[in-house]
Amino acid sequence: MRRLFGSVRARAALGATLVVAVALLAAGAAVLLSLRSNLVEQAGTEAERVARTVAAELAGGRAYGDLDLDDETPVQVVDKDGTLVAASEGLERISGTGTNAVTPRPAPSPGRTDGHGGDDRDDRDDDGDRDDEASLEPGEIGRETDFTEGSATVDGHTEDYRFAAVEVDADERGRFTVIAGGSLDAEQSAVDSATTAMLVGFPLLIGVVAGVTWLVTRRALRPVEGIRREMAEITASEDLTRRVPEPATHDEVARLARTTNETLAALESSVERQRRFVADASHELRSPIASLRTQLEVAAAHPELLDLDGAVEDTVRLQHLAADLLLLARLDAGERPADGRVDLAALAAEEAAGRAGVRVDMDGPLEVAGSRGQLARVLANLLDNAARHARSAVVVTTRREGGSAVLQVSDDGDGVPVADRERIFERFVRLDEARSRDDGGAGLGLAIARDVAERHGGSLTVGDGPAGGALFELRLPTV
């Protein structure tokens, strides 16, 4: 059972079928109840019409034998004592009317008393008011109609009826109750026909709904299967240049395909960046390690030729490169800045202290949230970069601008060409390859600085400085 309904289209078809089935059952029951109610009401209306017609004849003084009683409709005329005084011809059996008599008996003659010594129509209660049984005036027909349901046999044919009972005062003859029936055969026939039609049509309709839902869902999910199949092949081949097919529609499946392709593109870019990073790191590590090994091998063979200063320089360069690589690895792994408050102006003053040719222009304390160590690394990288390219002076300024703390580092060097102002923030990028390598730079300082700035919710850009050189601007949200 679990495998049978394991697919989305099977569950969708089952759900739609159940909903439609419940809706059809509820609608069918409501239709049948409404149909039966309307037909029963029509039968009662017809029965009331016949009963009031006969009551009008009695009120007009017509004799019992002259009453116009339909041979096909069961009619009873009962006096106050419950005696059947008139009935339709052919009536053989009746139930549900209060009296089962079908053979009329003679009624009392006009003016005859019933043993109480007076006319029944003049009976009054203790308060002097006319009671309910004698509330009709002579020749008057009661406004109220009582309805009951039962059965009757007329000329050997038995049917169910809705009976209407109407009271009438026939003057000297007293009060009578006229009971007439309206056949419920049409109601039963209509309800049976409707029920049969529903029993035949509803299963067919439910089957059609299930089939259509299955086909529509299958067609709608076909692109999803294509996406799944392509993703499986991409995973097996490890070829991130491939993309899943995008349907020409504008629905959720198309958006899923586009998002999947965007994810694949980002993954491909990330993997490619990691590959370049590993290749560049291997290349950068190879030079100081090879230089250091050469010096140590020469020193082992000829101790008098040991270049101790060069070995120390290569070791320091190797140490800085390893620290940069480890920091980039932590940033790529999603390391979040530590929660804390840092005075950016004071930190800039600390980093600038002891550096020749660096002037600091601070505008009060500037508190930002983040890691003091990482922000110090940003400032150190910016100052090292400015000192490497400046002719004589480096200027550090801090100020508050709206809700941001702005730190600027400018120099009086040659500046950064407009075409390279974004490229310099890429990893292992050197605009002056030979000088950067001689100075010990690996092309990671500015890349690290921008990554740290962005992870602190800020930005790092480069432009033209007031002295003609480069101006690096760090913006961080204040607290």
Side-chain angles (χ1 to χ4, degrees), residues 66-77:
D66 296 334
L67 293 175
D68 186 10
L69 303 180
D70 191 350
D71 294 342
E72 298 179 357
T73 301
V75 179
Q76 290 178 311
V77 179

Side-chain angles (χ1 to χ4, degrees), residues 208-262:
V208 170
V209 170
V212 171
T213 304
W214 176 277
L215 294 177
V216 171
T217 307
R218 180 182 180 183
R219 181 179 180 85
L221 294 178
R222 187 176 300 165
V224 177
E225 177 60 24
I227 294 173
R228 186 207 62 79
R229 185 166 51 249
E230 185 65 23
M231 286 296 294
E233 295 178 1
I234 292 173
T235 303
S237 64
E238 299 183 356
D239 183 6
L240 296 178
T241 61
R242 300 174 61 173
R243 298 292 181 265
V244 301
E246 294 187 18
T249 58
H250 300 281
D251 55 8
E252 293 82 355
V253 177
R255 292 195 292 272
L256 171 64
R258 285 194 294 271
T259 303
T260 302
N261 285 334
E262 292 172 359

Side-chain angles (χ1 to χ4, degrees), residues 9-23:
R9 60 176 177 268
R11 291 196 297 269
L14 177 62
T17 302
L18 291 177
V19 170
V20 172
V22 172

Side-chain angles (χ1 to χ4, degrees), residues 5 9 12 29 34 54 63 80 111 114 128 151 158 167 170 214 217 230 262 284 375 383 412 435 443-444 463:
F5 296 104
R9 60 176 177 268
S34 177
V54 175
K80 180 180 179 181
D114 58 0
S151 63
T158 302
E167 294 185 352
W214 176 277
T217 307
E230 185 65 23
E262 292 172 359
E284 293 294 334
L375 292 177
L383 290 172
D412 57 355
R435 187 182 65 180
L444 294 176

